[in-house]
Amino acid sequence: MRLLMVEDEERLARSLSQGLRAEGYAVDVAADGPTGLELARSARYDLVVLDVMLPGLNGFRICRRLRAEENPVPILMLTAKNGEYDEAEALDCGADDFLAKPFSFVVLTARLRALLRRGAAGRPAALAVADLRIDPAARRCTVADGELRLTAKEFGVLESLLRRPDQAVPKTDILDAVWDSAFRGDLNIVEVYIAALRRKLHRAGAHARIDTVRGIGYRLTPHAPPPADAS
């Protein structure tokens, strides 16, 4: 899941983004209103965490503009103010939820999970190729009737392929979907996770495989393993 955090308090933004990345989210951070609005318009996010008091453009105005443009991304608004009028304005301008500072990180992540479940309501409940199936909302992967245990990044890479079955998915598209803009490592990290997924799919006897599309990326296709030798 890819999140956008628009927060001008540097220490808070850093601690929250580090915590959310440890939870398996990809997090982009904007420190002012205009930058946050531009990112929300130009990239696909599963959720936006939006502070109210921002330089350049406040959170209420950002939220109203996104809703006026029919951007349906779930929005959780954060504010240092703790009053019913601020909460009412946040909801009236189109936010999906509201959290007053200071707040517990545990409560924040619970609110995010709830919003992501609601946002997933309009998407397919599950994605499948052959006997390989994932439930993005439940973060669960199965092969036939057995559960396949994946790390958060493995799940994200597999989900990006399952959302485009039998299509060549560029490596850069996988990076954009699973890692965030703060990633400065080797772009070949995708190959490491593809290799791990291939091993797990093979051990599970999945009737699906990940093919390399030379010069482009990877493709997930149905594939029946050869029958066992009966002799």
Side-chain angles (χ1 to χ4, degrees), residues 21 34 56 72 79 86 95 105 109 124 131 147 167 199 210 227:
R21 286 170 185 142
T79 179
D86 297 308
F105 183 74
T109 53
D131 61 348
E147 185 163 357
Q167 296 181 32
R199 289 193 297 270
I210 302 172

Side-chain angles (χ1 to χ4, degrees), residues 3-6 36-37 40 45-52 54 58-68 70-78 89-91 93-99 108 111-112 114-116 118-119:
L3 311 184
L4 171 63
M5 178 177 298
V6 190
L37 178 60
Y45 292 100
D46 295 287
L47 194 145
V48 174
V49 179
L50 178 62
D51 192 21
V52 169
L54 293 166
N58 71 36
F60 295 134
R61 294 174 64 189
I62 293 173
C63 188
R64 287 194 179 94
R65 291 190 187 184
L66 291 175
R67 295 309 187 225
E70 300 185 351
N71 189 324
V73 63
I75 296 175
L76 173 67
M77 297 198 76
L78 305 178
E89 185 172 358
L91 298 175
C93 74
D96 298 274
D97 202 356
F98 174 96
L99 196 56
L108 172 66
R111 296 283 187 93
L112 295 181
L115 287 177
L116 290 169
R118 286 184 227 161

Side-chain angles (χ1 to χ4, degrees), residues 11-29:
R11 290 177 61 186
L12 178 61
R14 184 170 59 249
S15 64
L16 288 180
S17 60
Q18 287 174 348
L20 290 170
R21 286 170 185 142
E23 294 283 329
Y25 296 100
V27 185
D28 292 340
V29 179

Side-chain angles (χ1 to χ4, degrees), residues 41-229:
R41 284 170 164 169
S42 62
R44 178 188 175 277
Y45 292 100
D46 295 287
L47 194 145
V48 174
V49 179
L50 178 62
D51 192 21
V52 169
M53 304 302 292
L54 293 166
L57 194 66
N58 71 36
F60 295 134
R61 294 174 64 189
I62 293 173
C63 188
R64 287 194 179 94
R65 291 190 187 184
L66 291 175
R67 295 309 187 225
E69 296 165 6
E70 300 185 351
N71 189 324
V73 63
I75 296 175
L76 173 67
M77 297 198 76
L78 305 178
T79 179
K81 300 177 181 179
N82 191 6
E84 59 184 15
Y85 293 106
D86 297 308
E87 181 173 356
E89 185 172 358
L91 298 175
D92 285 344
C93 74
D96 298 274
D97 202 356
F98 174 96
L99 196 56
K101 300 175 184 176
F103 51 82
S104 159
F105 183 74
V106 172
V107 172
L108 172 66
T109 53
R111 296 283 187 93
L112 295 181
R113 289 193 298 270
L115 287 177
L116 290 169
R117 285 194 298 270
R118 286 184 227 161
R123 304 175 188 170
L127 304 168
V129 166
D131 61 348
L132 173 64
R133 176 186 175 96
I134 68 168
D135 182 338
R139 309 298 286 175
R140 186 168 183 262
C141 177
T142 57
V143 172
D145 295 325
E147 185 163 357
L148 186 63
R149 295 190 177 279
L150 302 175
T151 67
K153 286 290 191 289
E154 288 170 352
F155 192 98
V157 172
L158 186 58
E159 181 182 355
S160 67
L161 295 174
L162 271 161
R163 289 196 180 279
R164 295 161 67 177
D166 212 24
Q167 296 181 32
V169 182
K171 186 187 297 184
T172 52
D173 286 8
I174 298 173
L175 277 168
D176 287 344
V178 181
W179 283 265
D180 52 54
S181 60
F183 180 73
R184 295 293 182 269
D186 189 343
L187 299 185
N188 290 326
I189 188 68
V190 174
E191 297 177 11
V192 175
Y193 285 91
I194 290 291
L197 284 169
R198 282 171 170 161
R199 289 193 297 270
K200 290 188 176 183
L201 293 176
H202 177 73
R203 286 199 298 265
H207 289 195
R209 73 181 182 191
I210 302 172
D211 294 326
T212 298
V213 182
R214 199 167 298 279
I216 300 177
Y218 303 96
R219 178 169 48 224
L220 184 65
T221 60
H223 170 68
D229 189 352

